[in-house]
Amino acid sequence: QVQLVESGGGLVQAGISLRLSCAASGTIFSINDMGWYRQAPGKQRELVARITSGGSANYADSVKGRFTISRDNAKNTVYLQMNSLKPEDTAVYYCNALIWSGSHAFSEYWGQGTQVTVSS
């Protein structure tokens, strides 16, 4: 079984930084893309940032220049450094990864989510 466990969320004031982490564990032979999504109350889940196994990243326009995604392949971990946080960044943040655990293909996994609340 594969698990993704997020950490690092919390309640912060606008302008403050937070760093989210997501560690994958279990039977893992290879991890392809990893990413962060978020879902605000009453809204659909949306992509925040994704990073390939080679380190190429893409971002939602709303976070470009403020958020940075990175990964440590040796630790099966992806990070999201969030700077200059705004109240509109308030959401539950979910980690996502494409992982090969021995089956015929890569499978998509999700973390349980971590709450980020930004007060004005």
Side-chain angles (χ1 to χ4, degrees), residues 5-100:
V5 179
E6 300 114 335
S7 61
L11 170 62
V12 297
Q13 289 188 326
I16 299 298
S17 299
L18 274 180
R19 189 192 195 206
L20 304 183
S21 300
C22 171
S25 63
T27 302
I28 297 171
F29 290 97
S30 181
I31 302 179
N32 200 333
D33 290 6
M34 303 184 82
W36 291 94
Y37 290 72
R38 67 186 181 187
Q39 188 167 18
K43 294 188 176 181
Q44 289 189 328
R45 190 174 298 189
E46 63 175 1
L47 171 69
V48 176
R50 288 193 70 82
I51 186 168
T52 66
S53 57
S56 296
N58 64 284
Y59 299 90
D61 288 343
S62 59
V63 307
K64 281 181 182 176
R66 298 188 298 121
F67 291 10
T68 302
I69 189 171
S70 61
R71 62 191 285 173
D72 185 332
N73 291 331
K75 296 181 179 179
N76 293 334
T77 299
V78 63
Y79 306 96
L80 186 67
Q81 178 67 41
M82 305 185 293
N83 298 330
S84 303
L85 281 162
K86 303 176 181 180
E88 51 263 44
D89 294 318
T90 296
V92 177
Y93 284 70
Y94 296 92
C95 175
N96 172 275
L98 293 175
I99 297 174
W100 182 46

